[in-house]
Amino acid sequence: MQPPDTTPPGDSAPPPDESTSPDDSTSSGESTSPDDSTSSGESTSPGGSATPADDQAASNRPADESALARAWNRLSPVRDRVRRRFEVDARSLAAVRIALALVILIDLLHRSRDLALFYTDAGVYPVAAYEATYGQYTGVSLHALSGELWFQQLLFVVAGVFAVAFLLGYRTRLVGFVSLLLLFSLQARNPAVLNGGDRLFRVLLAVALVTPLGERWSIDALRRGSARKAVTSFGTAALLVQPVVVFTANAILKHAGEEWYAGDGLMIALHNEVMTTALGKVVVDFPALLTLLNYGWVVLLSGSALFLLGTVGRVRMAAALVYTSAFVGMLLTMAVGMFPLLLMTAMLPFLPGVFWDELARRVPASWREGIPSDGAALGPLGRPPIERRLLDPDRGDWYGEASDYAVAYAKSLMTVLGFCVLVWILVFSASSVSGHDVPEEIDYEHLDQQKWGLYAPDPSESYSWYPSRAYLANGSTTSAFGDGELTFDRPPDPAAEYPTFRHRKFMSAVNGAGPDGIIAESYADWVCERAAASHEEPVERVVVYRVYQPSPIDGEYEDTGRQIVIERDCSAA
């Protein structure tokens, strides 16, 4: 779905640095003669000749303007360099759109495995718990309007439909905005299962929406019949700056610790067996390799501004591919949710046109011939959008002027919005790493989203799991979930104690809530129900434990420790 690389007249205004300079209207910067000033209406002396003061004013004004123009022109190489570094190929923007839509669909499928558990009143986090915890999210979740399973299933389907429309680029900005609202609503419904990747998800989607994601490879582009090859705007600058801010902030926060810059951070992180995949458990047996990868990771984080923003063309492409390979390694060795997928998505804007040109040459001609080239192939969907038909400038003089004004206003609004997003990224990320508060006028909790502390300042040197014991009416005790006698020994695979990373995050929230916290109480009530369903004997009470295991960094396992998280009388549940 790729239209011709042409831009219709009036599709976009000339960029600011290509505007007419102050002296373009004259052939030189020399001052006009008295006769010229008279003909232009300037004041003269009673005798008809210009006064000395007028001569001086007429001489100085053009000279000043010419000096300003010369200074502006001398900065042209600098402006060009800056512009090139914030220019994004339109195909890269299309790839960002497609990747974000796919991550939305993957996230929905992943969460649907525990739809009843985490998002209904029959699970561990009923609407009552939502209303009593995480006050910043109270009243902002559409998913919290009902605790019934069917309602959550309906919203999941709706979100999936909008994600597919976003992927195809149909009314890209509108469906993308709706997808953002549904994503935020879903995340707000149960903040106890969120990690840093979820924050990056909503931030990256919000930032991407201030760029023209539907410019290429989209239904919108086919309906429009034209596309730009590249885009430079405050929006593209924000999209490029966002991952650099993530890396730089994380590098600064890691510098406050002791392990990463000493070469041991990655080794400690991979010894956390509940957050390590099967491949990670293999890699951890090669300490020299881990030390090398640790320092490589620190260099990538610390030098991201230089490697990603300070380069262009093939050098930038190489840098983006190196970062992407690091994120693939993270995906294969660490169970950190959607974080690696989103970081890979954030690298797509750094891929220049030469990358896509080379990729296009490798696509078989038979495949390219099957791709629609204009809106006619889309049937009813190929008609121009209704707003374009309404804003047709050829309907009449006054109507055409109003249409042109509306289009120009919309473009100006997007420019202002892109600038605001860029400032938001820089201000709040600087506040996060420096510890200084933002101005009170913008100190709003929903804006405070630029915190990137994954494995910082140091990775944890222990891990935990949460077994539950049931006390039956006949005096016996057993595992609450009916899988034999409860033990506190380290399991063969600690990661298997959590079906997904969201279970691990939720149990951490249960532990952090304290025995009287509503999250812990809701979870204990759910354990009582599960225990009653798993045993023939009535269940009198349950006890939820936290078992913690120091990581075997030196090759030896220390004894586990345990503590009671919550006790619950099931007869009162």
Side-chain angles (χ1 to χ4, degrees):
M1 296 183 292
Q2 181 174 323
D5 294 331
T6 59
T7 305
D11 186 58
S12 61
D17 58 343
E18 295 179 0
S19 59
T20 304
S21 61
D23 65 342
D24 283 347
S25 59
T26 60
S27 59
S28 69
E30 295 178 0
S31 59
T32 58
S33 66
D35 291 339
D36 290 334
S37 65
T38 304
S39 63
S40 63
E42 294 188 13
S43 61
T44 61
S45 65
S49 60
T51 66
D54 291 336
D55 289 340
Q56 185 65 32
S59 176
N60 288 342
R61 189 179 302 112
D64 292 342
E65 291 177 356
S66 181
L68 179 62
R70 287 196 298 269
W72 178 255
N73 290 333
R74 288 194 190 100
L75 291 175
S76 179
V78 176
R79 291 186 286 112
D80 289 342
R81 291 190 183 96
V82 172
R83 185 181 183 86
R84 288 182 64 196
R85 279 154 180 77
F86 292 108
E87 181 181 77
V88 178
D89 192 279
R91 292 166 292 185
S92 296
L93 294 177
V96 170
R97 184 195 76 242
I98 294 170
L100 286 173
L102 289 175
V103 175
I104 292 174
L105 293 172
I106 292 171
D107 185 49
L108 290 172
L109 290 174
H110 186 266
R111 291 175 185 265
S112 66
R113 299 169 52 186
D114 302 298
L115 191 58
L117 179 67
F118 288 137
Y119 305 103
T120 71
D121 287 343
V124 296
Y125 196 76
V127 172
Y130 159 80
E131 293 175 344
T133 56
Y134 301 102
Q136 68 270 34
Y137 295 109
T138 302
V140 298
S141 175
L142 181 64
H143 291 71
L145 294 179
S146 173
E148 297 295 327
L149 178 60
W150 68 267
F151 185 74
Q152 304 303 319
Q153 292 171 331
L154 175 63
L155 289 180
F156 268 57
V157 171
V158 171
V161 170
F162 274 94
V164 171
F166 189 47
L167 186 151
L168 297 175
Y170 176 72
R171 295 191 171 276
T172 305
R173 188 161 276 142
L174 174 62
V175 300
F177 181 70
V178 174
S179 293
L180 175 63
L181 293 180
L182 290 172
L183 175 65
F184 184 75
S185 172
L186 177 58
Q187 293 184 356
R189 172 61 181 86
N190 190 347
V193 300
L194 304 182
N195 68 358
D198 294 292
R199 179 186 294 113
L200 180 61
F201 196 178
R202 60 180 180 263
V203 166
L204 191 59
L205 179 55
V207 173
L209 288 176
V210 298
T211 66
L213 297 177
E215 193 69 26
R216 299 286 292 271
W217 301 345
S218 66
I219 293 175
D220 287 348
L222 293 176
R223 299 167 80 189
R224 188 173 54 246
S226 64
R228 287 171 286 181
K229 289 185 177 181
V231 180
T232 308
S233 66
F234 285 118
T236 60
L239 189 60
L240 294 170
V241 165
Q242 180 62 74
V244 173
V245 162
V246 174
F247 305 146
T248 304
N250 192 251
I252 294 172
L253 294 174
K254 280 180 166 59
H255 192 270
E258 299 178 354
E259 307 296 348
W260 287 100
Y261 286 82
D264 300 326
L266 187 58
M267 179 183 65
I268 295 173
L270 288 178
H271 273 94
N272 187 333
E273 296 183 331
V274 301
M275 296 183 65
T276 307
T277 67
L279 180 59
K281 291 178 175 62
V282 174
V283 176
V284 79
D285 293 329
F286 300 90
L289 175 62
L290 290 181
T291 300
L292 179 62
L293 293 176
N294 179 102
Y295 282 122
W297 180 238
V298 169
V299 168
L300 289 179
L301 292 178
S302 304
S304 59
L306 174 64
F307 301 144
L308 294 173
L309 292 182
T311 57
V312 294
R314 293 182 181 274
V315 178
R316 172 175 283 189
M317 178 181 70
L321 293 178
V322 169
Y323 278 86
T324 301
S325 65
F327 304 144
V328 171
M330 180 189 296
L331 178 67
L332 296 177
T333 58
M334 296 180 174
V336 289
M338 302 293 173
F339 212 88
L341 294 177
L342 292 162
L343 291 175
M344 285 187 273
T345 300
M347 290 299 99
L348 291 174
F350 293 95
L351 296 177
V354 64
F355 173 85
W356 302 109
D357 292 339
E358 182 63 29
L359 194 62
R361 282 194 288 268
R362 299 176 183 274
V363 176
S366 58
W367 292 15
R368 294 197 299 268
E369 292 172 358
I371 300 176
S373 58
D374 54 49
L378 301 177
L381 288 179
R383 297 186 63 197
I386 186 171
E387 63 271 16
R388 283 187 172 270
R389 298 197 297 269
L390 290 176
L391 294 175
D392 184 2
D394 296 330
R395 289 195 175 187
D397 293 339
W398 69 269
Y399 193 90
E401 292 178 1
S403 299
D404 290 341
Y405 177 81
V407 172
Y409 180 81
K411 291 179 178 179
S412 299
L413 185 62
M414 290 307 303
T415 299
V416 172
L417 183 59
F419 176 78
C420 292
V421 169
L422 180 60
V423 171
W424 165 67
I425 293 172
L426 297 174
V427 169
F428 278 88
S429 60
S431 171
S432 174
V433 298
S434 67
H436 292 86
D437 294 333
V438 298
E440 293 184 2
E441 292 79 6
I442 58 173
D443 190 8
Y444 184 56
E445 55 192 359
H446 287 302
L447 289 177
D448 190 10
Q449 301 291 314
Q450 297 291 335
K451 297 179 179 179
W452 312 111
L454 181 66
Y455 287 109
D458 288 317
S460 174
E461 296 188 8
S462 66
Y463 53 87
S464 305
W465 62 94
Y466 297 83
S468 299
R469 171 176 285 165
Y471 291 79
L472 307 182
N474 61 7
S476 63
T477 62
T478 184
S479 170
F481 303 131
D483 48 1
E485 182 60 34
L486 184 70
T487 68
F488 299 105
D489 296 333
R490 183 181 63 86
D493 183 11
E497 296 296 300
Y498 301 101
T500 70
F501 75 95
R502 299 204 183 279
H503 291 76
R504 184 179 70 241
K505 292 297 297 184
F506 185 80
M507 292 310 302
S508 178
V510 169
N511 179 60
D516 298 325
I518 189 171
I519 296 180
E521 291 182 352
S522 297
Y523 177 73
D525 289 342
W526 178 80
V527 174
C528 283
E529 295 174 3
R530 285 287 305 275
S534 302
H535 300 89
E536 295 181 358
E537 287 289 326
V539 178
E540 292 186 340
R541 65 189 178 98
V542 296
V543 180
V544 179
Y545 297 90
R546 172 181 174 251
V547 183
Y548 50 93
Q549 170 71 65
S551 299
I553 299 171
D554 56 0
E556 297 292 334
Y557 284 99
E558 299 180 15
D559 293 337
T560 60
R562 70 174 182 265
Q563 66 186 59
I564 294 176
V565 176
I566 188 171
E567 295 185 64
R568 190 68 165 171
D569 182 356
C570 293
S571 62

